[in-house]
Amino acid sequence: MARMKIVTGSNHGLPKSIIEKYDIRIIPFPLSLGEENYRDGIDITLEDFLKKLKNTKLSPKTAALPMGELNKAYQELSEEADAIFSVQMSSGLSIATYQAAQKARETVKADVEVVDTKQTLGGVGLIILEIAEAIKRRKSKAEVLQIINEVRTRTNSIFALPDIMYLYRGGRIGRAKSLLGSIMKIIPLIAFRNEEGMVSPLGKARNVFQANEKIIGTIKSDMEKVGSTKIRCVISDVDNKIAARQLKETLQKNFECEIIEGEMPCCGVVYLGPKAWGLAYYLIK
Amino acid sequence: MGEKIKYCDGKKLKELILASTEWVNENKTMLNNLNVFPVPDGDTGINMSLTLQGAANKIRDMNGNLSRIADTVAEATLMEARGCSGTILSQWFKGFAQSVKGKQGINSLELAVAFQKAAETAYQAVENPVEGTILTVVRESADKALQLAKKEADLIRLFEEILITAKQSLAKTPDLLPVLKDAGVVDAGAQGFVFMLEAMLNNLQGRKPELPKIISVQGVFDTIKTKKENLVNKYCVECVIKGGDSRLDEIKAKLDEYGGSLIIAKSAGLLKIHLHTNYPKKVLQYCSSFGNLLQPKVDNMKKQRKKYLSSIENTSKKKQIGIVAVTLGKGLVEIFRSMGADVVIAGRRTMNPCTKDLIKSIKRIKAENIIILPNDPNVFPVAEEAKKISTNTYVIPSKTIPQGIAALLAFNAEADLITNRENMNKALKKVKTGITTYATDQRKFGEIEFKKGNILSFYEKEIKIVGKDVQETTLNLIDKMIAKDDKLISIFYGKKIKAKEVKKLVERIKSQHPELEVQFYYGGQPNYYYIISVE
């Protein structure tokens, strides 16, 4: 029976409890604010990072996962596993991370499968969860790969970005630039859907209530499209527990759902900005 | 529902024709896109629409019994008929009119008999009737009507069944006409007739029809490209001859020699000729030998098709949807622009742009489809005019600025036209509008009386409050507008209001309604102090 392990970047969005339960190896993204450098999830807490952001005019930055760190992780995991799943964020958002994950396989004993989730944050997390559960159920590597392909098509995520300028300054705004520039105070909504692997503009809302309504509407239509009646989701927020809670309540009112309260990494804040919130959802068959 | 309709009089027929005309016009682009037979030149929609509009224009202000209305429709459609489908349709109306001659109104059986006569007359007009076209659908609908009318007196039930049969017949047209199957579409003329029946049924039921569906053009496009060589006859000739109906058979035989797709419509001493030919001059010369030649028209179908093909190809270069918004006030203009309107027409003092202005704005936008947000009911007629004149233009009937903003907010450039129209229309209902303005005159509106200079508050176009102080009146208005689940008030302040005043107003609102979020923006409108939206 092949022993299989999972390694991923620090932007998986899952709570610590799940990471520990399935013994998932995490590689921190390099984070920087001005002159200061951090390892995401290790050197600074979310609270402190947000405080620093408030008090500076500088823009935060992230870098791709260093190939050296990936290689080291692969080597170490090779001691306890025959097959490794390197589950990474969408190559459309960070081609450098994806390529590093691929290249780092050189000189590694174990079989490394790099998974392009076409997602980020909780979307990555949900796919990791499916893989972990499959491994626990003693699925073969081939079976797990099949599950990954299936799950990826049914995993989407939506974020509400009250301050979409963070996405813009982070260079990831893409087609969502149509959401910029409104004179009226609006909350732009972006989505990662249909395995596009890139930001797509979902719409605009006047307030938290309307934003959550739009999110529910989108999930509803996605569920109808594939005939799904249940979802599993990871909800997270950047210092906006109120909005996240309202979203959770509305979800529970409308759908049969398993809700995981995710943890927002600092590298997520760089692109989502303060007061953002959202969820990744998997349309269960 | 539950109310039966057992009788169709002149007034009702008029309504049915007008409803059909509007619905076919709404869907004319889709019909154009389905146009594969006999010649794929993308004009079935426009042709049927113009043919029907010819009739609609004549009967709109008429009051007459059924027979008179029917006769007028038959005559008007004959004169205005364009293309094969238009000409066939005019003959359908001719047969219908003949069947109901002299009658004030008809019951369901008489209607079914009229449908039969209409179908027969339509067939007779076409020299080589082809199945899998509008002819099949009118025939099968008429058969169903006659079968049912023998026991069904309710016109609503009758039309329900006729429509079902017509749709089934429509769905089978690709099985009857191979070129439709190749292109993956149903017949355009037949679909046009189904739209007419749909509109009539909706009218009888007292409903508005749903938004039209868009179909993909790709199948049609591929068919046109591969069948390039099949344009046997290059020109489409149409004309009306005054006279010659006594020698109809002779004319038919001769014209048939000159080309194909011959359709002759007859009515009270007039013959409407429709023919595809390579000898347009000879055909017109021949026709004029029988009597006065009216409205001669020659179209180069080869050119038309080339133009149509390139317009489909150019689709990818233009953006899918452009938006024109009408508003008044520098701030509001900026707001609409910043939210994605391509062109914002700042109306004049009374906020009424003329049709010319609107058309000019539409032409400035490089988009496949245009959506107009009128933001005031007074702009509706102009918007409808513009819609009729331009192609692919749609109106989202926003009555107020807040409705227009809500609709624009619901717009997503990445979604298709149908989804956007659906969402934008839905959004209109989600916002309540109130206005504070001043009276320019002494007036009395029912119970409410006011003098010049009084402050007036309107809630959804009804005067609710008359007062002396702008802030007080506005606060009272807001109190009336707010309901239990409301969460957000937006205030657009006009030119006459200073920023200090608004801030004070906002503070008072917040203290009276602490559970609500209040946003305010400079609208700059000259005519209203405040435009308030509550949602």
Side-chain angles (χ1 to χ4, degrees):
Chain A
M1 183 79 246
R3 302 163 301 164
M4 298 187 270
K5 284 258 164 212
I6 302 171
V7 58
T8 188
S10 58
N11 64 349
H12 53 79
L14 293 170
K16 254 192 202 74
S17 52
I18 293 184
I19 300 297
E20 282 168 8
K21 176 175 177 189
Y22 294 104
D23 191 27
I24 297 169
R25 176 72 176 259
I26 309 293
I27 302 176
F29 273 93
L31 197 59
S32 67
L33 186 58
E35 294 285 310
E36 300 179 28
N37 297 310
Y38 311 95
R39 288 171 299 170
D40 182 33
I42 297 180
D43 296 326
I44 187 168
T45 64
L46 181 65
E47 261 185 271
D48 288 341
F49 190 64
L50 287 173
K51 253 192 233 143
K52 284 195 189 269
L53 277 182
K54 263 203 197 117
N55 297 325
T56 180
K57 282 207 167 76
L58 299 166
S59 295
K61 293 205 196 311
T62 62
L65 290 181
M67 195 169 69
E69 294 295 315
L70 283 154
N71 182 260
K72 182 156 155 244
Y74 293 165
Q75 302 271 24
E76 287 170 8
L77 287 174
S78 293
E79 303 298 319
E80 12 169 355
D82 313 298
I84 300 171
F85 292 99
S86 180
V87 186
Q88 301 302 339
M89 65 184 290
S90 170
S91 55
L93 291 170
S94 176
I95 185 74
T97 296
Y98 182 71
Q99 285 175 343
Q102 295 275 28
K103 263 210 120 196
R105 294 181 306 171
E106 284 172 29
T107 75
V108 174
K109 247 192 312 183
D111 223 341
V112 180
E113 197 70 41
V114 178
V115 178
D116 183 349
T117 57
K118 303 285 187 192
Q119 285 290 319
T120 184
L121 297 171
V124 177
L126 282 173
I127 293 176
I128 288 175
L129 199 46
E130 289 293 319
I131 298 173
E133 287 174 344
I135 293 174
K136 207 168 191 166
R137 290 196 309 269
R138 300 182 174 281
K139 295 285 178 191
S140 72
K141 180 173 167 202
E143 286 172 316
V144 176
L145 286 174
Q146 220 178 0
I147 289 173
I148 291 172
N149 285 331
E150 244 266 21
V151 171
R152 188 171 36 206
T153 65
R154 300 163 81 97
T155 303
N156 299 323
S157 50
I158 302 175
F159 295 99
L161 310 180
D163 194 346
I164 195 171
M165 288 308 285
Y166 276 77
L167 191 68
Y168 174 70
R169 287 187 290 251
R172 298 303 197 279
I173 196 144
R175 279 141 47 201
K177 69 180 199 286
S178 59
L179 300 173
L180 288 171
S182 168
I183 287 180
M184 286 177 68
K185 179 171 160 233
I186 55 150
I187 300 178
L189 293 158
I190 61 163
F192 299 91
R193 279 159 86 210
N194 306 320
E195 292 188 283
E196 280 180 337
M198 283 186 304
V199 173
S200 75
L202 189 68
K204 310 176 194 130
R206 299 285 315 278
N207 56 15
V208 171
F209 178 75
Q210 288 184 13
N212 284 334
E213 272 200 324
K214 257 206 171 79
I215 294 176
I216 298 298
T218 307
I219 297 177
K220 208 175 250 175
S221 103
D222 282 351
M223 285 173 82
E224 279 169 13
K225 260 188 241 164
V226 299
S228 169
T229 51
K230 280 199 301 209
I231 54 171
R232 166 193 258 174
C233 41
V234 176
I235 301 186
S236 52
D237 66 278
V238 183
D239 188 29
N240 200 341
K241 290 277 170 282
I242 295 177
R245 196 185 325 125
Q246 281 182 20
L247 177 59
K248 180 174 173 186
E249 283 165 9
T250 318
L251 280 168
Q252 286 168 329
K253 221 190 287 174
N254 280 281
F255 308 118
E256 202 183 321
C257 50
E258 179 197 332
I259 299 183
I260 298 168
E261 306 214 359
E263 280 167 23
M264 178 64 70
C266 293
C267 62
V269 178
V270 172
Y271 299 98
L272 300 182
K275 298 300 175 192
W277 79 98
L279 83 171
Y281 53 101
Y282 167 56
L283 306 157
I284 300 174
K285 247 204 186 131
Chain B
M1 295 292 114
E3 247 187 72
K4 296 188 183 181
I5 298 184
K6 297 205 176 150
Y7 194 66
C8 175
D9 59 10
K11 182 160 173 256
K12 192 37 117 179
L13 180 65
K14 188 167 108 165
E15 281 178 31
L16 296 178
I17 303 288
L18 292 176
S20 302
T21 306
E22 201 187 310
W23 192 225
V24 167
N25 187 45
E26 273 282 325
N27 287 291
K28 64 177 182 259
T29 305
M30 190 238 213
L31 292 176
N32 284 346
N33 289 341
L34 288 175
N35 185 187
V36 177
F37 180 84
V39 178
D41 50 7
D43 61 2
T44 301
I46 279 269
N47 286 344
M48 285 185 89
S49 176
L50 288 172
T51 305
L52 285 168
Q53 282 192 45
N57 290 338
K58 279 263 146 67
I59 61 174
R60 194 163 278 127
D61 298 317
M62 255 184 88
N63 287 315
N65 65 21
L66 184 82
S67 179
R68 271 199 67 209
I69 300 278
D71 280 340
T72 310
V73 172
E75 215 178 284
T77 50
L78 181 108
M79 292 305 289
E80 294 295 325
R82 323 243 173 156
C84 298
S85 40
T87 313
I88 294 175
L89 201 57
S90 75
Q91 284 302 266
W92 190 88
F93 282 118
K94 173 78 189 162
F96 185 92
Q98 274 176 340
S99 179
V100 304
K101 195 83 183 179
K103 297 201 165 104
Q104 292 275 356
I106 48 176
N107 60 24
S108 74
L109 188 57
E110 289 166 317
L111 182 106
V113 168
F115 264 54
Q116 280 286 335
K117 183 84 173 117
E120 281 165 28
T121 316
Y123 265 84
Q124 279 162 7
V126 182
E127 192 50 19
N128 293 306
V130 176
E131 296 296 335
T133 64
I134 188 175
L135 292 176
T136 311
V137 177
V138 309
R139 173 173 55 79
E140 294 188 344
S141 312
D143 287 342
K144 185 67 181 185
L146 197 57
Q147 181 194 39
L148 204 62
K150 293 180 182 151
K151 347 168 220 150
E152 181 61 70
D154 180 12
L155 290 176
I156 295 179
R157 281 293 302 136
L158 189 69
F159 265 88
E160 279 174 2
E161 290 299 319
I162 294 176
L163 183 60
I164 293 174
T165 300
K167 283 185 173 168
Q168 284 167 347
S169 181
L170 173 69
K172 281 193 270 146
T173 53
D175 295 328
L176 295 168
L177 198 50
V179 66
L180 296 175
K181 199 160 212 139
D182 286 341
V185 293
V186 293
D187 180 68
Q191 173 71 79
F193 187 73
V194 168
F195 281 141
M196 286 171 59
L197 293 176
E198 245 174 45
M200 292 185 197
L201 177 60
N202 277 307
N203 175 282
L204 290 170
Q205 289 170 328
R207 285 205 311 230
K208 278 195 130 332
E210 291 165 12
L211 290 177
K213 303 197 181 352
I214 279 196
I215 43 92
S216 152
V217 179
Q218 198 52 42
V220 176
F221 189 40
D222 293 339
T223 301
I224 298 175
K225 276 186 129 179
T226 55
K227 291 199 185 292
K228 237 194 243 203
E229 285 69 51
N230 276 1
L231 198 54
V232 171
N233 295 301
K234 194 168 155 188
Y235 298 95
C236 175
V237 174
E238 288 180 335
C239 62
V240 176
I241 309 175
K242 217 167 176 189
D245 43 343
S246 54
R247 295 159 70 181
L248 184 55
D249 289 332
E250 188 192 318
I251 298 176
K252 268 194 191 173
K254 186 71 183 192
L255 287 178
D256 211 23
E257 285 174 31
Y258 277 122
S261 295
L262 173 63
I263 305 173
I264 303 185
K266 232 175 39 163
S267 180
L270 295 171
L271 287 181
K272 171 72 172 253
I273 312 288
H274 170 281
L275 179 70
H276 293 169
T277 179
N278 287 322
Y279 314 101
K281 276 212 201 111
K282 282 204 187 143
V283 167
L284 288 176
Q285 239 172 10
Y286 176 74
C287 289
S288 59
S289 69
F290 288 93
N292 271 340
L293 200 64
L294 305 170
Q295 298 180 184
K297 182 199 69 124
V298 178
D299 282 330
N300 184 333
M301 294 192 294
K302 196 160 172 202
K303 241 201 219 155
Q304 262 181 353
R305 195 165 73 169
K306 211 168 157 197
K307 197 168 153 203
Y308 181 57
L309 275 178
S310 68
S311 83
I312 304 177
E313 277 175 323
N314 279 337
T315 302
S316 48
K317 298 188 193 144
K318 292 193 249 177
K319 70 174 164 184
Q320 268 305 296
I321 305 171
I323 301 186
V324 178
V326 180
T327 185
L328 192 59
K330 194 167 141 209
L332 290 175
V333 169
E334 296 274 312
I335 286 175
F336 272 95
R337 236 188 241 131
S338 78
M339 299 228 300
D342 293 277
V343 174
V344 185
I345 304 180
R348 286 169 277 234
R349 256 210 108 235
T350 51
M351 208 180 131
N352 288 346
C354 62
T355 313
K356 216 169 43 156
D357 292 337
L358 207 43
I359 303 274
K360 249 201 299 190
S361 306
I362 291 172
K363 289 213 166 109
R364 278 161 57 190
I365 308 176
K366 279 215 173 321
E368 260 302 293
N369 303 286
I370 301 285
I371 289 181
I372 302 177
L373 290 169
N375 300 327
D376 186 312
N378 291 327
V379 181
F380 281 10
V382 166
E384 288 296 319
E385 268 304 303
K387 184 174 96 166
K388 278 202 197 114
I389 300 176
S390 349
T391 45
N392 302 1
T393 302
Y394 306 87
V395 178
I396 301 286
S398 52
K399 292 191 181 147
T400 65
I401 295 288
Q403 281 187 5
I405 290 176
L408 197 46
L409 224 82
F411 173 70
N412 183 351
E414 301 243 320
D416 60 69
L417 181 65
I418 293 293
T419 308
N420 268 314
R421 287 178 70 193
E422 219 177 277
N423 291 339
M424 290 173 87
N425 273 305
K426 266 197 215 143
L428 297 177
K429 305 189 188 96
K430 294 209 168 142
V431 67
K432 298 182 270 194
T433 306
I435 290 174
T436 306
T437 183
Y438 54 90
T440 51
D441 235 317
Q442 182 159 343
R443 204 70 72 83
K444 191 159 187 252
F445 268 107
E447 293 280 299
I448 302 187
E449 197 172 345
F450 49 85
K451 296 205 272 283
K452 178 173 178 175
N454 278 164
I455 308 301
L456 306 173
S457 274
F458 288 77
Y459 178 17
E460 302 294 355
K461 285 290 166 172
E462 255 187 67
I463 302 184
K464 282 291 174 184
I465 304 157
V466 179
K468 295 208 166 79
D469 177 76
V470 175
Q471 280 226 356
E472 288 305 318
T473 313
T474 308
L475 282 167
N476 287 338
L477 170 67
I478 291 176
D479 274 339
K480 282 199 157 46
M481 287 176 74
I482 292 178
K484 193 176 73 140
D485 287 325
D486 289 327
K487 300 205 162 43
L488 173 67
I489 303 178
S490 314
I491 299 174
F492 301 92
Y493 62 99
K495 224 166 169 185
K496 294 188 174 22
I497 303 286
K498 299 197 175 52
K500 244 194 328 197
E501 282 177 69
V502 193
K503 291 206 178 101
K504 234 167 117 203
L505 175 68
V506 169
E507 268 170 47
R508 290 182 70 184
I509 299 171
K510 281 193 175 144
S511 65
Q512 281 181 22
H513 303 275
E515 71 287 1
L516 289 168
E517 185 188 345
V518 186
Q519 295 178 9
F520 63 97
Y521 302 96
Y522 176 63
Q525 64 276 14
N527 46 355
Y528 301 141
Y529 292 120
Y530 292 108
I531 299 175
I532 315 272
S533 90
V534 175
E535 56 200 303

